[in-house]
């Protein structure tokens, strides 16, 4: 299957892609979509939601503009890529602008969760508060296959929940590169860790983490390189 959604504008709406098939190699593409306010959270909690179950799907989400909007109700989410079972996923999430506006909190601006191996890249996204609980979050709690993860050149500003983070990388069996990101003016900046006692193999370099009221960054010891990051006024 190949599904492409391009050049749409939605007000008080959302996109929900559910991949429940068994054929390998499905492709899902969402590009140049504007969500001016996110719709009813009891229907779809994310402005762009992709739920994966088939083997080795490919997800491309790029150049979209999303804001919470002024619709009242439960907190919303921006871009969500979720692997329900354990497919090997290949996802590229790039040049999206996600902002929490209108007084409705945003639980997470961009989130990628679950799955087995494959490749995930989040590049040149901008996620803005206020009302932003988590900025960018990549989490994988289990799986024996190695995943390649690259998080680069993203901007997160205005994360204002003291129990959450601007950038969260919490993943096992992952070869991660977290470079050239700017995380500023929030409560907590950046977390890089594994799950339970399992470490994450990461290179964390050339990131700017500044002006956080609770904590700048936390990097779990292990096979992780922490170099040339600028931490200021946290």
């Amino acid at each position: 299957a190949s599904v492409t959604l391009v050049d749409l504008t939605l007000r008080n709406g959302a996109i929900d892609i559910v991949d429940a098939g068994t054929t390998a190699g499905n492709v899902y593409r969402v590009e140049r979509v504007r969500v001016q306010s996110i719709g009813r959270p009891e229907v779809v909690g994310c402005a762009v939601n992709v739920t994966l179950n088939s083997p080795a799907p490919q997800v491309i989400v790029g150049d979209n503009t999303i804001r919470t909007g002024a619709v009242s109700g439960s907190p919303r989410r921006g871009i969500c890529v979720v692997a329900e079972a354990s497919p090997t996923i290949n996802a590229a999430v790039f040049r999206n602008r996600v902002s929490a506006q209108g007084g409705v909190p945003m639980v997470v601006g961009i989130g990628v969760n679950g799955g087995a191996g494959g490749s995930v890249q989040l590049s040149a996204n901008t996620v803005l508060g206020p009302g932003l609980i988590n900025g960018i979050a990549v989490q994988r709690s289990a799986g024996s296959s190695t995943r390649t993860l690259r998080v680069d050149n993203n901007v997160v500003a205005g994360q204002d929940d003291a129990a959450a983070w601007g950038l969260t990388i919490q993943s096992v069996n992952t070869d991660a590169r977290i470079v050239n990101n700017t995380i500023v003016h929030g409560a907590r900046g950046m977390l890089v860790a594994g799950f339970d006692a399992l470490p994450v193999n990461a290179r964390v370099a050339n990131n700017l983490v500044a002006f956080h009221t609770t904590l700048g960054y936390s990097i779990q010891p292990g096979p992780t390189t922490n170099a040339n990051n600028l931490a200021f006024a946290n």
Side-chain angles (χ1 to χ4, degrees):
S2 178
V3 177
T4 301
L5 298 171
V6 178
D7 292 326
L8 298 174
T9 298
L10 304 177
R11 181 179 291 111
N12 193 21
I15 293 171
D16 188 22
I17 297 173
V18 180
D19 164 35
T22 59
T23 302
N26 295 329
V27 179
Y28 304 99
R29 183 188 300 269
V30 180
E31 293 185 278
R32 300 191 305 276
V33 168
R34 294 178 59 87
V35 181
Q36 297 182 348
S37 59
I38 303 173
R40 296 166 57 192
E42 67 272 21
V43 179
V44 180
C46 306
V48 177
N49 184 71
V50 185
T51 302
L52 302 167
N53 195 36
S54 68
Q58 182 178 3
V59 178
I60 301 164
V61 182
D63 295 306
N64 303 290
T65 301
I66 295 166
R67 64 177 185 173
T68 306
V71 180
S72 63
S74 303
R76 311 304 207 256
R77 293 169 171 82
I79 297 170
C80 307
V81 179
V82 180
E84 284 194 327
S86 57
T88 296
I89 64 174
N90 296 292
V93 182
F94 55 90
R95 293 194 306 270
N96 300 286
R97 184 179 179 89
V98 182
S99 56
Q101 298 177 354
V104 178
M106 183 171 285
V107 175
V108 61
I110 299 173
V112 179
N113 295 282
S119 174
V120 174
Q121 182 166 0
L122 288 83
S123 298
N125 300 285
T126 299
V127 182
L128 303 174
L132 179 63
I133 299 174
N134 293 279
I136 296 174
V138 182
Q139 296 178 309
R140 180 190 178 207
S141 60
S144 58
S145 301
T146 300
R147 170 178 293 173
T148 300
L149 171 65
R150 185 173 181 88
V151 181
D152 66 276
N153 296 294
N154 301 285
V155 175
V156 179
Q159 179 276 332
D160 50 17
D161 189 300
W165 297 87
L167 174 62
T168 300
I169 308 297
Q170 200 168 14
S171 186
V172 301
N173 294 325
T174 299
D175 182 10
R177 297 293 178 266
I178 304 144
V179 297
N180 301 334
N181 299 286
T182 299
I183 307 133
V184 294
H185 293 293
R188 291 176 181 256
M190 176 173 59
L191 170 67
V192 180
F195 271 94
D196 298 327
L198 298 173
V200 61
N201 179 19
R203 175 171 174 76
V204 185
N206 300 337
N207 300 286
L208 170 62
V209 183
F211 304 112
H212 292 92
T213 57
T214 302
L215 189 65
Y217 62 80
S218 175
I219 299 177
Q220 176 179 308
T224 296
T225 302
N226 172 22
N228 301 324
N229 297 292
L230 177 58
F232 180 76
N234 299 299

